[in-house]
Amino acid sequence: MLISLVFGLVFLWCVIVIARDDWAFGIVPDYPLLALGAAGVAFAFCDPGASYASASETFQQLAARAAILGFFGFSVAALFKLVRGRNGLGLGDVKLMAAAGVWSPTLSGFYAITSASVAALLLALGAQAWRGQSPALTEALPFALFLGPAFFAFWVFERMNLLSP
């Protein structure tokens, strides 16, 4: 329990720094991403509830989760660029998906991405309606502001066994 709390606070700190910088400067900083990924790896080895048989298996599972979510994010970014002719998802957001993917099972990662996407969409549409504008969805959004907290929330849900069947 104490281990989860300590690592959870590190996760939360990284998410706050990433969200703040994305909001203020429009970038996702690399150092908190590295800290997020490294802390996720350390947590996997310190978590008493982990069911990995060996260090090799642990690294393989963590790398697979990070690669799947990172590749998904990169694919979305590349497809958007191909279709729309401009960037729609920054590579910082893709790196965030990969780094946060170390913390949670892949399905929880997809839940987090979907939840963050819906929240960002609703906020963008709500802000435009508040200003009396028609919905255009052409403004840039700090997506890490939604993505980081969503990953953290779903990690907490996993720790509380709220996502288990």
Side-chain angles (χ1 to χ4, degrees), residues 88-100:
L89 184 67
L91 292 182
D93 299 319
V94 173
K95 291 185 286 186
L96 175 57
M97 289 177 197

